Structure formats: C-alpha cells, structure tokens
Amino acid sequence: MIIGFGFGSPLMALLMLIITASLSYFIFKAIRGRQVNHDGRFHGDYIDVYPEQNTEEVKAQMRDYYQEQRRHAREMMREYDLTDEEIEKRIEQEMKK
C-alpha cells in the first residue's frame, strides 16, 4: 500500500512513503500483538506483565517447556536420522503399500 506515489515533488513522495511505511508497520504490530501463544498469553508478553506469579514458578514452567522441546527434538532426530540403507528400506516399504 503506497499513498501518493508519483504525486507532487520528490520530497512529498518520500514523506508519503515514510508515512505509509510507518502506518503499515503499526497496523502489523497491532494485529500481531493480538495473537495468543499456546500457554494463553499474548505474543510479546514478558514475565514482568505477571507480577503476581512467583518467579521460581515461572522459571520452573519455562524449564519444563524447554525440556519438553528438547525431548521432542531428540525423538524427531531418532525417527528421521536415517542411513542411506534405512531410507531405501522405507521407500521400498512405502512403494509396496
């Protein structure tokens, strides 16, 4: 979306371009800021937003989250870290189906 492209002096066109870019950015940030994370918080929320929560509790929740992500990554690695022979076997099995 470009407002006033090609109208008036080059300085006016540049000013309109900057205004348009800033409007687009703020609209994007407003829309993106309303999306909710999987834990019920909005994107961009920080621990400081929830002062009533114990910081140790928040740390424990974050630690659990990252440990779960690490476990999931290792599980995916075991499933998809295949040798060439294993890949050929899987291809043959899928072709037989």
Side-chain angles (χ1 to χ4, degrees):
M1 159 175 90
I2 298 177
I3 300 171
F5 183 72
F7 298 106
S9 68
L11 185 60
M12 185 61 75
L14 183 63
L15 179 66
M16 287 187 206
L17 185 63
I18 291 171
I19 291 171
T20 303
S22 61
L23 280 174
S24 298
Y25 174 75
F26 288 121
I27 290 170
F28 169 76
K29 291 300 276 186
I31 291 170
R32 177 145 173 116
R34 304 309 266 161
Q35 296 175 351
V36 178
N37 287 334
H38 67 279
D39 60 354
R41 295 185 295 176
F42 288 110
H43 286 293
D45 283 352
Y46 297 101
I47 296 171
D48 298 340
V49 177
Y50 302 103
E52 68 275 359
Q53 284 186 335
N54 186 358
T55 55
E56 292 301 318
E57 178 184 328
V58 172
K59 283 182 182 180
Q61 289 173 351
M62 292 174 77
R63 190 176 301 111
D64 291 341
Y65 171 76
Y66 286 115
Q67 287 174 348
E68 175 65 24
Q69 291 299 312
R70 181 175 58 190
R71 185 197 61 74
H72 183 66
R74 287 180 178 159
E75 195 175 284
M76 296 286 287
M77 184 182 69
R78 277 193 297 274
E79 183 176 347
Y80 294 108
D81 188 22
L82 305 172
T83 63
D84 290 339
E85 293 82 25
E86 292 170 331
I87 290 172
E88 291 299 322
K89 285 180 187 176
R90 279 197 178 185
I91 290 172
E92 290 300 323
Q93 288 174 354
E94 290 180 15
M95 295 299 287
K96 288 180 183 177
K97 291 181 182 179

